[in-house]
Amino acid sequence: MQKVYSKILQIVGDVITVEAEGIGNQELAEVTTSRGKTLAQVIRLDENKVYLQVFAGSRGVSTGDKIRFLGHRMRVSFSDNLMGRIFDGSGMPRDNGPSLAENLIEIGGPSVNPAKRIIPKRMVRTGIPMIDVFNSLVISQKLPIFSIAGEPYNEVLARIAMQAEVDVIILGGLGLKYDDFLYFRDTLEEHGALSNSIFFVHTASDPTVECVMVPDMCLTVAEQLAINGKDVLVLLSDMTNFADSLKEIAITMEQIPSNRGYPGDLYSQLAVRYEKAVDFSDAGSITILAVTTMPGDDVTHPVPDNTGYITEGQLYLRNGRIEPFGSLSRLKQQVNAKTREDHRTVMDTMIQLYSDFNGAKEKLAMGFETTGWDKKLLKYGEMFEERMMSLKVNMPLEKALDLGWEIMAECFEPEETGIKTEMVEKFWPKKEAETREVEEEVEQEGPTTVEELGSLENNFEGK
Amino acid sequence: MSKREGRISGINGNMITVNFDDFVLQNEVAYALTGDEHLKSEVIRVRGKKAELQVYEGTEGLKVGDKVEFSGELLVVELGPGLLTQVYDGLQNPLPLVAEKCGFFLKRGVYLSALSDTEEWEFTPAIEAGASVKAGDVLGTVPEGIFKHSIMVPFAMRDEYKVVKVAKEGSYTIKETIAEVKDSKGEIQKITMVQSWPVKIPITAYTEKLKPAEPIITKVRIIDTLVPIAKGGTYCIPGPFGAGKTVLQQLTSRHAEVDIVIIAACGERAGEVVETLREFPELTDPRTGKSLMERTIIICNTSSMPVAARESSVYTAVTLAEYYRQMGLNVLLLPDSTSRWAQAMREMSGRLEEIPGEEAFPAYLESRIASFYERAGVVRLNNGKIGSITIGGTISPAGGNFEEPVTQATLKVVGAFLGLSRERSDARKYPSIDPLDSWSKYKSCVDEKQVEYARKILIRSTEVGQMMKVVGEEGTSLDDFIDYLKGQFVDEVYLQQNAFDEVDGATPAERQRYVFNVLHYILEAKFQFENKEETRHFFQQLRQDFRNWNSDPWQSAEFKKREDLLKSKIEESTGRIKG
């Protein structure tokens, strides 16, 4: 038997205060208003005053409305019936399917014991050379895409989701534009991936409070799947909206803000979610790819800044390309030694040369003299941008590595790249033959002197 | 004796307000009871008959009116043999055992004892009946891995005591009495191998504190040579994300020439701890030939674990460090990162509705940071032995900007500042310690004069580099250009180090002195080149040779061969030295 309370003392923002007794922290309640029923969650207790955060917002809540406490925290149903379904931020169906009530699990459970984690060793192939070659994604990695509004970050997410060889894809939409939600749904459907996907989508027009629930919903389901041996990929777009919702609630609760209005526990709040990414010692895994839009393209803004300290690297998406500088996968070392023996060489050399290209470009822009070497770099840079950096490019890692050799061979002599002689002998393509079978051409023009590589001139600004 | 109790009257995040009748102690540990769970908490403020407590766990499900039991004890850790190789959370819960008991997840309210009750230790007495002892004096020893672990008179026993009885040589568990002593009032006290100590109070059972003088060799060249750290000293590593703070900590924890390393993973990624956790048992310590884990304790309160326990984790770590210091050992404590600890304080301060200081950090931030770092130091113990604690904390400044409260408060109290720079890490120059901004008050392991000279060259090189941005290479004089390349050379062949290279990754002190001497010779040389192209070519060649040399094993045949090659090349060029 549940008591119904109807004494609302205070309504501030989306938080209402009622007088009630025997209520547990974070318990759910159902508020019946003239607009219908909505859920609310206990966020603070003070004597017999209970502070509730109303999911649908407090607009239209009357001081005489009825509140029924449910005696449990926010829960999500977990079963095979979830597959292919679409829900909103409070777990209600957004498609035309039935609502689910079996095997309910409280969301936002405790942290994984670090002693139960293993060092991740499996690469996720995405078909995007800028990721596969230069910043390999690894199972159990948590990686945000730092971007700004207008960039095709959702397209990148959808593409990775389609290519990644995982068992289940979970999409968490946070303040997602309705168009983008439809885009995700249609793209996954087109590729036949919808049947092993689960959507929890909070769109931009939904109440703010529900936005805060979405990551926990997604990750709780993901955790259950992972325990059952599944490899799960969780996509979250856009986590900046999550942080903004937290800010809104914190301000309503009159918490002292720490930085640009964000609450002091922003780091912990983000970390609790991102740290759900895991590779279990004897079960499945959770990989998290998130979008963090940077207000004003400023990476020192509290949201991207705190995120960067939590996640295992970041990808910068700028001008429709994944930037080679600044982008970083902290886990790539765990996998890129075992893909192909030239992987690290190609990765290091191409980036180094691209950095030199930027130096040359700057020189050109400043009106300084360009040398023959600069011209080679300029040619290289353009080819690199067009044939590898472009998001249009879609090829497996091995092809991308071969392409890397091709581009370098078209622009430079082997000794100019600083690549070790044995690697050059094995992988450097022959000029006249356009064959891709690089492995065949073991012999070449004999060992080149490493000393002669007048190429690795450091650019002046170090950037 | 009935337990003192209270009732919850308010819940706000991880802070609860409790009404009590009797009395409470500030900072005493209490347990909030909900269902069959006991949630550990700590009294942090008392006002009238209301106490405010921070809960070391999630507070979901707690209700107003729930019972709270006060323990009368401050937050303590257990000290005794068996601490080494352990992985604890911030409250000294052994995580592998928790995993055995609870599976994949950390269940709240589960507190296991930090040390095994059943394991037996080979005790050898070091004292005889009749001797007089005081806190910290050694009663006997037990072997713990590679160390002789001293069993001491508990630090909390403040009297002078006469030893009545000492256990014979043999195997004992930590709960068995190994000595009986009589205090000045004639009362007998029993002593076991385990004692407890409140984490927030420093252990001071020593005779005097000494000045840190001896360097710790980390085998990271830029640290040992340019910004050295000292035994018993303190240092901090602030840096933006991705600059390599944690990698630097990991390298130091592997190579540093100290007896014991305590890693306090405070509010950072769990994945990084897992790397240490899984790799250390496989790695051998070159100094002992045993696994690196045998000299390591990991305190692991990662970012998703409860915030209040994060705050106490650095204190837990430093108390364990003090315990081993009392045995005359050199301990290195690596908290990563102290910013997360400061943020935990900020969260609590916000809940207490204290008047905020800068960036909402509490006003006592500075004094807390200062008193934490002050627990480092070299001390002379009662028996004349010397022990030390070195603290090297990382800082994660918001936006990578060092002008923020945590960095600034830390800089006031540390002896060395190893600032990491985004520019260097973006250019993949590792370790990304900024050679010009960073400083150290400790003594370098190489000749100070040579270091000074190299520093001057670096400064000059940076100046020329800046100038060249404006006037271009063609507008720079050849002499300036040579200085510029010399500075680049120092950076590229000496300050930068490849952590993945087996040899280059760890350079012993002797080798640093040797190599730096050669480097100094190159820096001092007055070259006379025809043009810039030739100059650049010369330095590029030299760089390649020097880097190859860095990868040759110390004192090996190749090392000698390459050195001769280098020297002949330098000699060749010195043939053209002016005058």
Side-chain angles (χ1 to χ4, degrees):
Chain A
M1 59 129 246
Q2 285 145 333
K3 261 194 185 164
V4 175
Y5 296 87
S6 62
K7 196 167 181 192
I8 297 183
L9 303 173
Q10 182 182 303
I11 305 174
V12 178
D14 291 333
V15 178
I16 61 173
T17 313
V18 280
E19 228 174 63
E21 270 172 8
I23 307 303
N25 194 19
Q26 295 185 16
E27 192 175 321
L28 276 190
E30 195 181 66
V31 184
T32 313
T33 73
S34 54
R35 286 160 56 216
K37 283 182 182 172
T38 169
L39 290 175
Q41 188 186 25
V42 177
I43 52 173
R44 183 173 178 175
L45 293 160
D46 184 10
E47 302 285 355
N48 57 358
K49 278 189 285 209
V50 180
Y51 294 74
L52 289 155
Q53 179 173 279
V54 185
F55 288 5
S58 60
R59 203 161 296 149
V61 174
S62 129
T63 48
D65 279 345
K66 296 203 171 14
I67 292 143
R68 190 167 64 93
F69 288 91
L70 303 178
H72 61 76
R73 297 179 0 185
M74 187 71 188
R75 297 187 296 195
V76 61
S77 157
F78 174 73
S79 69
D80 288 343
N81 296 338
L82 279 175
M83 290 299 171
R85 295 292 308 274
I86 300 172
F87 304 92
D88 68 9
S90 58
M92 291 295 129
R94 197 180 261 288
D95 49 12
N96 296 321
S99 62
L100 301 176
E102 66 227 299
N103 191 21
L104 290 165
I105 292 164
E106 292 200 339
I107 67 166
S111 166
V112 171
N113 190 329
K116 276 291 192 183
R117 289 172 182 262
I118 53 172
I119 300 179
K121 295 266 187 243
R122 291 177 290 161
M123 179 173 158
V124 181
R125 286 167 175 263
T126 66
I128 301 172
M130 291 314 289
I131 298 178
D132 288 357
V133 177
F134 298 100
N135 284 301
S136 319
L137 180 65
V138 181
I139 282 279
S140 93
Q141 189 159 19
K142 39 190 181 289
L143 199 69
I145 298 175
F146 285 174
S147 192
I148 51 171
E151 293 285 348
Y153 42 81
N154 284 331
E155 283 80 350
V156 175
L157 277 194
R159 247 185 83 182
I160 295 172
M162 234 65 68
Q163 307 242 7
E165 292 152 338
V166 291
D167 301 322
V168 183
I169 297 163
I170 299 182
L171 172 78
L174 304 111
L176 205 60
K177 274 202 317 218
Y178 207 85
D179 307 357
D180 288 336
F181 156 55
L182 294 178
Y183 168 80
F184 272 113
R185 195 192 61 188
D186 296 347
T187 316
L188 263 71
E189 197 158 25
E190 247 169 60
H191 290 78
L194 201 58
S195 57
N196 47 18
S197 306
I198 306 167
F199 282 34
F200 290 94
V201 175
H202 165 266
T203 65
S205 59
D206 295 338
T208 324
V209 179
E210 288 185 5
C211 183
V212 182
M213 295 292 170
V214 170
D216 286 337
M217 298 278 229
C218 296
L219 292 164
T220 304
V221 172
E223 216 159 58
Q224 293 299 321
L225 288 163
I227 291 173
N228 290 312
K230 296 269 192 282
D231 286 324
V232 188
L233 175 66
V234 178
L235 309 172
L236 299 170
S237 174
D238 155 3
M239 284 300 275
T240 305
N241 292 331
F242 170 76
D244 286 341
S245 299
L246 287 178
K247 174 168 80 172
E248 202 176 313
I249 293 159
I251 298 283
T252 312
M253 292 300 290
E254 297 176 353
Q255 277 183 29
I256 297 160
S258 68
N259 200 348
R260 298 207 211 176
Y262 289 93
D265 64 353
L266 179 64
Y267 174 84
S268 304
Q269 292 285 4
L270 288 170
V272 166
R273 275 78 192 190
Y274 280 117
E275 282 283 321
K276 294 274 179 196
V278 64
D279 201 350
F280 282 119
S281 53
D282 28 29
S285 68
I286 302 175
T287 310
I288 302 179
L289 265 181
V291 169
T292 299
T293 50
M294 300 183 286
D297 201 8
D298 175 13
V299 74
T300 66
H301 182 277
V303 180
D305 187 49
N306 278 299
T307 305
Y309 279 117
I310 294 163
T311 53
E312 286 149 339
Q314 63 279 329
L315 298 172
Y316 283 91
L317 183 67
R318 214 171 259 150
N319 303 323
R321 295 194 298 233
I322 293 172
E323 282 280 317
F325 303 117
S327 293
L328 167 75
S329 161
R330 287 169 190 262
L331 300 185
K332 67 181 169 193
Q333 264 84 9
Q334 311 283 9
V335 296
N336 64 12
K338 288 165 291 182
T339 46
R340 211 170 83 175
E341 57 178 318
D342 58 331
H343 188 160
R344 284 184 174 178
T345 309
V346 172
M347 171 181 90
D348 290 337
T349 315
M350 290 197 85
I351 289 293
Q352 179 98 48
L353 289 168
Y354 187 71
S355 146
D356 291 348
F357 153 74
N358 276 335
K361 210 165 74 173
E362 217 161 286
K363 235 168 145 184
L364 194 70
M366 302 276 284
F368 296 136
E369 285 169 30
T370 48
T371 60
W373 170 240
D374 289 331
K375 292 201 175 78
K376 282 185 172 185
L377 283 172
L378 290 168
K379 178 182 171 195
Y380 165 79
E382 270 166 36
M383 283 177 81
F384 182 68
E385 287 179 355
E386 196 184 304
R387 291 168 66 179
M388 269 195 141
M389 277 173 74
S390 166
L391 278 179
K392 291 193 193 97
V393 181
N394 189 1
M395 57 174 74
L397 170 72
E398 287 72 16
K399 275 242 174 74
L401 290 175
D402 292 345
L403 177 67
W405 286 106
E406 259 173 55
I407 294 177
M408 286 192 284
E410 265 182 62
C411 303
F412 305 108
E413 295 303 316
E415 63 272 14
E416 287 174 326
T417 58
I419 296 173
K420 275 194 193 152
T421 316
E422 44 179 313
M423 277 288 171
V424 169
E425 279 173 8
K426 195 156 178 195
F427 290 101
W428 196 269
K430 264 188 186 154
K431 274 241 163 93
E432 52 277 29
E434 263 201 45
T435 167
R436 286 247 168 104
E437 299 297 305
V438 276
E439 282 92 337
E440 302 288 317
E441 345 176 0
V442 179
E443 43 67 54
Q444 253 259 337
E445 64 239 45
T448 43
T449 47
V450 188
E451 280 83 281
E452 262 197 314
L453 40 98
S455 66
L456 285 170
E457 197 241 302
N458 247 308
N459 48 355
F460 303 152
E461 288 83 345
K463 165 117 201 208
Chain B
M1 194 181 89
S2 74
K3 274 190 180 153
R4 283 176 294 124
E5 287 175 356
R7 296 272 170 190
I8 295 178
S9 69
I11 304 167
N12 178 15
N14 66 339
M15 189 185 81
I16 55 176
T17 311
V18 177
N19 292 333
F20 62 93
D21 299 325
D22 226 340
F23 64 94
V24 295
L25 276 69
Q26 171 74 326
N27 294 110
E28 82 172 305
V29 169
Y31 292 90
L33 313 184
T34 170
D36 52 359
E37 290 173 317
H38 288 48
L39 308 182
K40 207 173 198 170
S41 7
E42 181 187 358
V43 176
I44 50 173
R45 187 163 72 184
V46 185
R47 287 201 287 202
K49 283 288 170 195
K50 276 178 193 291
E52 273 141 334
L53 281 70
Q54 62 172 343
V55 186
Y56 289 119
E57 307 276 0
T59 54
E60 60 273 6
L62 280 183
K63 290 177 178 165
V64 168
D66 278 349
K67 204 197 285 181
V68 174
E69 284 177 5
F70 295 98
S71 73
E73 275 189 344
L74 304 185
L75 183 70
V76 294
V77 285
E78 296 213 315
L79 303 170
L83 291 168
L84 291 176
T85 74
Q86 291 271 22
V87 182
Y88 292 121
D89 74 359
L91 302 173
Q92 217 194 4
N93 260 315
L95 288 173
L97 287 181
V98 174
E100 266 175 40
K101 199 173 164 202
C102 308
F104 288 126
F105 298 101
L106 295 167
K107 201 174 167 305
R108 71 175 183 178
V110 173
Y111 310 110
L112 302 178
S113 82
L115 297 169
S116 161
D117 285 354
T118 49
E119 195 175 348
E120 295 200 330
W121 300 90
E122 282 297 321
F123 178 75
T124 312
I127 209 160
E128 284 173 6
S132 67
V133 291
K134 59 178 187 291
D137 284 353
V138 180
L139 297 168
T141 59
V142 298
E144 181 185 14
I146 45 182
F147 300 103
K148 245 192 197 169
H149 185 116
S150 306
I151 305 300
M152 295 168 276
V153 177
F155 310 124
M157 292 171 63
R158 290 164 193 284
D159 210 348
E160 289 268 341
Y161 303 88
K162 273 260 179 311
V163 178
V164 179
K165 210 165 101 187
V166 185
K168 283 201 209 76
E169 201 168 328
S171 301
Y172 302 90
T173 66
I174 55 167
K175 295 285 175 194
E176 288 179 73
T177 305
I178 51 100
E180 286 178 12
V181 296
K182 192 158 68 175
D183 65 15
S184 53
K185 289 183 199 126
E187 276 177 42
I188 299 281
Q189 309 238 21
K190 288 181 177 173
I191 297 175
T192 64
M193 285 198 249
V194 64
Q195 57 171 311
S196 59
W197 184 261
V199 294
K200 289 186 181 167
I201 298 171
I203 297 172
T204 52
Y206 51 80
T207 54
E208 61 172 331
K209 215 164 174 175
L210 307 168
K211 193 165 181 272
E214 207 184 323
I216 292 185
I217 300 304
T218 63
K219 297 187 185 169
V220 178
R221 289 190 294 258
I222 185 168
I223 297 181
D224 296 344
T225 302
L226 214 56
V227 280
I229 57 178
K231 265 182 200 147
T234 50
Y235 66 98
C236 67
I237 311 176
F241 63 80
K245 288 184 296 295
T246 304
V247 175
L248 201 56
Q249 290 280 57
Q250 280 174 346
L251 284 176
T252 320
S253 65
R254 274 175 204 196
H255 300 306
E257 296 185 346
V258 290
D259 299 315
I260 287 171
V261 176
I262 301 181
I263 299 167
C266 168
E268 290 284 313
R269 304 177 186 87
E272 286 162 355
V273 188
V274 175
E275 272 177 41
T276 310
L277 217 105
R278 304 267 172 188
E279 281 173 4
F280 266 34
E282 316 288 318
L283 296 168
T284 42
D285 182 355
R287 298 169 67 230
T288 59
K290 295 279 176 57
S291 124
L292 262 180
M293 206 59 200
E294 294 211 357
R295 68 162 198 178
T296 310
I297 307 174
I298 300 174
I299 308 292
C300 168
N301 218 95
T302 55
S303 55
S304 60
M305 289 158 78
V307 176
R310 186 197 298 169
E311 196 255 340
S312 64
S313 67
V314 296
Y315 292 110
T316 300
V318 75
T319 309
L320 299 186
E322 283 174 339
Y323 180 60
Y324 280 97
R325 176 201 65 193
Q326 289 299 122
M327 299 174 201
L329 297 172
N330 295 307
V331 187
L332 176 63
L333 171 61
L334 301 169
D336 182 18
S337 125
T338 57
S339 292
R340 305 301 161 219
W341 166 56
Q343 284 179 347
M345 280 193 259
R346 174 168 75 183
E347 276 183 39
M348 225 44 238
S349 166
R351 297 239 159 76
L352 289 169
E353 294 175 355
E354 293 171 341
I355 294 167
E358 208 180 332
E359 284 183 28
F361 282 107
Y364 45 80
L365 176 76
E366 287 197 13
S367 60
R368 291 274 169 93
I369 289 178
S371 54
F372 171 70
Y373 276 101
E374 276 301 298
R375 289 174 79 165
V378 191
V379 300
R380 193 190 310 280
L381 303 166
N382 296 346
N383 59 6
K385 276 193 187 172
I386 306 282
S388 76
I389 299 177
T390 311
I391 302 183
T394 61
I395 305 173
S396 321
N401 174 11
F402 294 169
E403 307 291 315
E404 55 94 41
V406 183
T407 314
Q408 291 305 315
T410 311
L411 282 182
K412 282 189 201 167
V413 291
V414 293
F417 159 62
L418 280 56
L420 305 189
S421 103
R422 163 88 25 121
E423 282 75 47
R424 283 180 72 83
S425 70
D426 275 354
R428 286 158 211 246
K429 296 179 179 174
Y430 291 112
S432 63
I433 298 170
D434 191 309
L436 297 180
D437 285 351
S438 305
W439 49 261
S440 167
K441 293 175 185 164
Y442 305 118
K443 211 173 154 311
S444 170
C445 74
V446 309
D447 185 0
E448 300 268 341
K449 279 194 193 120
Q450 291 186 351
V451 175
E452 244 354 273
Y453 192 82
R455 202 189 302 270
K456 270 190 200 135
I457 297 267
L458 280 170
I459 294 172
R460 179 70 195 141
S461 169
T462 314
E463 283 169 3
V464 177
Q466 294 289 341
M467 201 172 70
M468 222 148 55
K469 269 190 208 164
V470 184
V471 297
E473 204 176 295
E474 57 264 42
T476 310
S477 77
L478 187 57
D479 281 347
D480 280 353
F481 191 66
I482 292 173
D483 281 345
Y484 169 71
L485 288 181
K486 274 182 179 172
Q488 296 260 306
F489 185 70
V490 177
D491 191 357
E492 283 161 355
V493 305
Y494 195 83
L495 302 184
Q496 290 174 40
Q497 211 168 337
N498 182 358
F500 296 103
D501 187 298
E502 216 171 292
V503 178
D504 194 31
T507 315
E510 202 187 340
R511 179 169 178 157
Q512 290 189 32
R513 276 190 285 274
Y514 192 89
V515 169
F516 203 77
N517 205 28
V518 176
L519 185 66
H520 183 68
Y521 177 65
I522 297 171
L523 293 183
E524 271 195 329
K526 289 187 168 52
F527 298 105
Q528 193 186 46
F529 293 111
E530 297 288 317
N531 55 39
K532 285 173 194 146
E533 214 39 62
E534 193 199 356
T535 317
R536 172 176 291 138
H537 189 66
F538 172 77
F539 274 104
Q540 270 170 355
Q541 281 201 351
L542 204 61
R543 177 182 69 186
Q544 193 70 31
D545 290 332
F546 214 109
R547 276 189 177 167
N548 288 335
W549 195 39
N550 280 340
S551 298
D552 292 329
W554 174 232
Q555 303 291 32
S556 66
E558 301 95 72
F559 183 87
K560 287 263 174 266
K561 215 170 111 190
R562 192 95 62 180
E563 185 186 348
D564 291 342
L565 182 84
L566 254 174
K567 280 193 172 152
S568 73
K569 278 197 182 166
I570 299 167
E571 259 161 43
E572 205 177 294
S573 70
T574 50
R576 297 167 15 178
I577 286 174
K578 274 187 205 164

